[in-house]
Amino acid sequence: MLDAFSRAVVAADAKGSPIGTNELASLRKYVSDANKRIDATLAITQNVSCIAADAVAGMVCENTGMTQPGGNCYPTRRMAACLRDGEIILRYVSYALLAGDPSILDDRCLNGLKETYMALGVPTANAVRAVEIMKAATVAIMTETNSGRKMFEGINSGSGAQCQEIAAEAASYFDRVISSIS
Amino acid sequence: MKSAVTTVVAAADAAGRFPSMSDIEAVKGSFDRASSRMQAAEKLAAGIDKVTADAVDAVYGKGTYEQANKDKCARDIHHYLRLINYCLVTGGTGPLDEWGIAGMREVIRAQVLPTVAYIEAFTHIRDRVCVPRDMDEQAAAEFKGLLDYLINALA
């Protein structure tokens, strides 16, 4: 498992040279953006059940057969498993976002996930759709383009407009999830 | 690789929970110290050859030794300083633990090397750090802390 700092270290070690001024420039940017990163992580952790529930509900609404007998979200036990997986994916995305590196997401969540879903008969096309909705919701909350309560409301530090870059980074982690299970 | 952030994330993952406020406080704490750590890393990277040469001279003193011998000593000191540079960047002892200290004792014993000489070299480096000529006080504290960590592992 790596983070932005240890990723730089592994790259430098491969060359056998110490980390100097040039390599430190991007890490200094990472540190100077730390507050945005923390706000963005909180945007996920404080809205987990909302994001996951909306995504699964959206997926089911588009495929109403899923909750009927014979559907993949029938009975509720299987729908609950779906909600749980949504939260697990969000958890690993929040770790990756905090660390500034996708390795924890790859190693501990995505590695073997597609095979597991295929073995369990989970329809991956629907799973991908749920992840897409979670991505859209997460980005909207971070950039304050969501309807409802705004992330920075009543807080006079930061705004959604300043979180574009970090929201794009979060979106890239969701894209990783999508490409690994599709 | 153990670093300030990965340690926190690994603990959260083991418990199966989202990053909590205390996790985030811990990460933020390491970000707050990051600028002095990076300053120390930058200065060390810039002066690593000079510091190594200085330490080797201090260890060998005025006696006459084979140059090949001294070169190997310099190589090793340079290697450990590079790992300390990495530790300063990550904010944890991961690089030293994984690439420097794991197996070090066995290798040193197998080659019948005197660890005292290394301890002498790193103690010399630690005592020579001058504030504010080399780096500022907080940066020097981070650097010296890691040198002490290595010295304890060698002792």
Side-chain angles (χ1 to χ4, degrees):
Chain A
M1 188 201 338
L2 298 173
D3 65 353
F5 298 100
S6 40
R7 172 78 63 185
V9 163
V10 170
D13 185 56
K15 290 186 289 180
S17 58
I19 293 181
T21 314
N22 296 337
E23 293 91 338
L24 282 171
S26 67
L27 292 174
R28 288 203 161 106
K29 184 173 177 342
Y30 172 87
V31 170
S32 69
D33 286 345
N35 282 334
K36 281 180 210 168
R37 192 168 287 282
I38 287 169
D39 284 340
T41 308
L42 288 173
I44 297 179
T45 61
Q46 292 174 346
N47 297 290
V48 180
S49 44
C50 173
I51 298 172
D54 267 7
V56 174
M59 175 187 78
V60 169
C61 284
E62 289 169 6
N63 305 277
T64 45
M66 292 186 85
T67 48
Q68 303 299 321
N72 278 287
C73 284
Y74 179 89
T76 47
R77 179 180 60 79
R78 289 164 83 191
M79 175 98 162
C82 199
L83 289 162
R84 177 205 59 193
D85 281 12
E87 294 198 2
I88 289 174
I89 287 169
L90 282 172
R91 184 156 64 81
Y92 283 101
V93 168
S94 76
Y95 293 159
L97 193 61
L98 194 60
D101 189 274
S103 66
I104 182 163
L105 177 66
D106 291 346
D107 297 350
R108 299 196 176 189
C109 180
L110 302 183
N111 186 7
L113 184 62
K114 188 181 183 185
E115 290 76 2
T116 306
Y117 277 174
M118 288 202 310
L120 294 172
V122 173
T124 48
N126 293 322
V128 164
R129 180 62 189 139
V131 176
E132 277 171 355
I133 300 173
M134 292 204 292
K135 171 181 152 187
T138 305
V139 169
I141 293 170
M142 283 176 192
T143 55
E144 292 191 302
T145 49
N146 59 325
S147 55
R149 192 177 67 87
K150 305 291 186 199
M151 186 166 79
F152 290 103
E153 205 170 72
I155 303 170
N156 47 17
S157 69
S159 71
Q162 292 169 336
C163 290
Q164 295 285 354
E165 212 170 303
I166 196 85
E169 187 183 324
S172 78
Y173 298 139
F174 284 105
D175 288 338
R176 259 186 131 76
V177 178
I178 291 168
S179 66
S180 82
I181 58 173
S182 53
Chain B
M1 171 72 54
K2 210 164 72 185
S3 81
V5 184
T6 55
T7 313
V8 166
V9 169
D13 188 31
R17 60 178 161 74
F18 282 86
S20 66
M21 276 323 278
S22 65
D23 291 334
I24 286 174
E25 285 295 327
V27 169
K28 198 167 166 4
S30 87
F31 287 158
D32 291 342
R33 290 189 303 130
S35 67
S36 41
R37 281 195 281 111
M38 287 190 191
Q39 186 197 40
E42 192 172 17
K43 303 282 186 199
L44 175 59
I48 193 164
D49 294 327
K50 204 164 147 287
V51 172
T52 306
D54 187 43
V56 171
D57 287 347
V59 171
Y60 282 83
K62 289 191 166 53
T64 47
Y65 298 92
E66 271 185 61
Q67 188 58 35
N69 223 328
K70 283 173 89 170
D71 287 348
K72 280 180 190 163
C73 181
R75 178 200 62 193
D76 287 352
I77 292 172
H78 188 281
H79 174 242
Y80 285 120
L81 287 176
R82 183 163 63 82
L83 295 179
I84 287 178
N85 168 269
Y86 295 165
C87 288
L88 286 165
V89 172
T90 56
T93 53
L96 261 182
D97 291 336
E98 289 175 32
W99 300 332
I101 292 170
M104 176 183 71
R105 211 166 268 283
E106 290 82 349
V107 171
I108 285 178
R109 198 189 305 124
Q111 300 181 336
V112 206
L113 294 172
T115 50
V116 184
Y118 291 113
I119 294 172
E120 184 72 25
F122 293 117
T123 311
H124 176 80
I125 294 170
R126 183 192 62 194
D127 295 343
R128 287 274 296 177
V129 175
C130 171
V131 176
R133 182 197 65 194
D134 297 328
M135 52 187 79
D136 68 30
E137 200 165 340
Q138 188 58 39
E142 299 276 356
F143 181 41
K144 287 180 182 178
L146 285 165
L147 283 168
D148 279 331
Y149 183 79
L150 177 59
I151 290 167
N152 280 329
L154 283 160

